[in-house]
Each structure stands twice: as C-alpha cells, then as structure tokens.
Amino acid sequence: MKKGWSVLALAALFAAVALGQSEGQQEEKGGSTERERVKESGQVLKEILDMPDKGIPKSVLDGSKCVIILPSVKKVAFGIGASYGRGVMTCRTGADYKGPWSAPIMMASSGGSIGFQIGGQATDFLIIVMNDGGARSLLNNKVKLGADASVAAGPVGRTAEASTNARMQAQMLSYSRSQGVFGGVSLSGSTLRPDSDANANLYRQKIKPEEIIAGKVPMPPEAHQLIEDLQKSQSASAQQ
C-alpha cells in the first residue's frame, strides 16, 4: 500500500512540475503571457467583488495590506492532490502599507495534500494579506502558508466580520471560487513566492518586488481594471 502511495505521490509531483514547465515555456520575451495573466486576475477579482451578498466583507477589504489573485489554479490528482498556479499580487504602497495600490507583482503558488481531491479542475483563489508582517514575508521569500505565515479561511458576506480568534490572528485570509461557488478555504500547506522570471517579462527588466511597490516601474495598462476595482471597493466601503 505504501509503495502504491509513493508511486501516486511521484506521479502527482511530476505532473505539477511538468505543468509549471509548460507554462514557463509559453512565456514570451515580450511578456504577453504575463499581461494576459494580469487581465485574467483583474476579471476574477471584479467578478468576486461584484457578488452582491456572498462576497468579501468590507471589514476585510478595509484592513487589507495586499491582495493576491490566482486565477484558474490547476489541480492534478491521482488520489493525491497537487496544485500549481500563477497570478498577481498588489499591495498598498508606503512604509505602513496604507497608500494607493501598487503595480502588480507576479506570483507563483504550489501545494499538495494527501487525498485532497480526485480528478482535475481549475479553481480561482483569492488571498487577502491582513498585516505588515504578512506583506513583508511575501516580498522576497518562498512562504509556506500555515508554517511561515498564518492563514485562515476568510469570512463570507458583506456584513460579516473577521472576528473569530483564528481570523483575527491570521496574517492572511484565503478564499476559493470553483464552478461559481465562492467561500473561505484554508490553504495551509500551500506555498507562495514572487515569480521573478514573470516579473522580468512583464516589466522587461529584472526588478525586485520592493521596487515594484515603490513605483519604480509604470503601471501596466492591463492592471488598470484590477486597481480601479480595488479603489472602488475601498471608496464604497468608506461611504457605508
């Protein structure tokens, strides 16, 4: 039985690696793949923010430091769930993360869990970074959620509050959307890291995440919807 699980684990690992390599091979020097990913992330965020009653609570959005969108994260599973995805992160600028939203930072994620899912499907993930420590941890390093940074399933509903002890103490709150169903989900065990190659492709130069947040590169046109929607949600929340 152990041997069977080992074979399945290796198969899932190789499938996830191959998926990542195939995505990397599709990236063009002009950054077209990255620009499309930014647009797709913006569309996913817009659809989630437009959900009337079962979206992200205003208290969560008001307190957020960074927002990470991972559209269509793909899972490959053979009794063992493994996932690999790429997306974007935008953070509030300034030393205290209270300024305007930054240009997007390209991100990569991976993760796997025994028996997590059988069969493959694409899921959108949204991660809200709730404090300065969580934001700083993501700028340079590969972060394992639940170990290097605390994470909890986010509350759902416009009037809901992030009030439980786990949610109040968590550095990040995570959500998923699959087949139109949106809700909080724990991503403990998954990893997140800045995608250095994708950032270089998008901005046509090697650049660090801190430099992107500091405004040392112009905002890509494809990111305008994403940033505008975040600003609108913040303004709407302030008026309520």
Side-chain angles (χ1 to χ4, degrees):
M1 183 68 178
K2 290 183 178 179
K3 183 177 180 181
W5 276 111
S6 298
V7 172
L8 290 172
L10 286 172
L13 176 62
F14 286 138
V17 170
L19 179 60
Q21 288 177 340
S22 65
E23 284 200 4
Q25 290 168 356
Q26 292 173 7
E27 291 176 355
E28 300 175 5
K29 291 183 179 180
S32 62
T33 299
E34 287 74 23
R35 291 194 296 273
E36 185 60 33
R37 192 174 300 142
V38 171
K39 288 177 62 177
E40 185 180 359
S41 298
Q43 184 61 35
V44 167
L45 180 66
K46 176 177 174 57
E47 291 170 2
I48 290 174
L49 293 178
D50 285 347
M51 298 178 75
D53 300 319
K54 296 192 175 182
I56 303 166
K58 60 181 182 179
S59 61
V60 171
L61 289 171
D62 289 347
S64 62
K65 304 296 183 178
C66 302
V67 174
I68 303 167
I69 308 105
L70 301 168
S72 300
V73 174
K74 298 179 178 65
K75 297 182 183 297
V76 286
F78 306 90
I80 296 176
S83 63
Y84 182 92
R86 291 185 177 183
V88 306
M89 174 174 74
T90 178
C91 296
R92 297 183 195 269
T93 55
D96 55 0
Y97 296 96
K98 292 183 179 179
W101 293 99
S102 73
I105 298 166
M106 307 305 294
M107 300 292 290
S109 71
S110 61
S113 59
I114 301 295
F116 182 74
Q117 182 176 330
I118 297 177
Q121 73 176 28
T123 303
D124 303 318
F125 289 100
L126 183 68
I127 302 167
I128 311 292
V129 184
M130 298 302 297
N131 59 35
D132 295 7
R136 285 192 291 268
S137 70
L138 287 166
L139 293 182
N140 291 305
N141 303 311
K142 181 178 181 179
V143 173
K144 185 172 183 178
L145 302 182
D148 302 322
S150 57
V151 64
V156 174
R158 292 301 183 200
T159 59
E161 298 291 334
S163 56
T164 68
N165 287 336
R167 288 169 180 167
M168 289 181 69
Q169 296 172 4
Q171 292 176 302
M172 304 179 198
L173 297 175
S174 50
Y175 298 87
S176 71
R177 185 183 68 164
S178 179
Q179 298 179 344
V181 178
F182 179 76
V185 63
S186 175
L187 293 180
S188 183
S190 300
T191 62
L192 288 169
R193 63 173 176 82
D195 192 336
S196 300
D197 290 340
N199 282 319
N201 286 339
L202 179 63
Y203 295 108
R204 303 194 179 191
Q205 59 178 296
K206 287 189 175 295
I207 188 163
K208 297 178 180 178
E210 302 100 313
E211 295 173 322
I212 297 174
I213 291 179
K216 294 187 177 181
V217 288
M219 181 77 68
E222 293 80 9
H224 288 169
Q225 177 180 304
L226 189 156
I227 302 304
E228 288 174 4
D229 287 336
L230 280 174
Q231 291 172 338
K232 286 179 183 177
S233 67
Q234 185 180 356
S235 299
S237 178
Q239 294 171 3
Q240 293 176 356

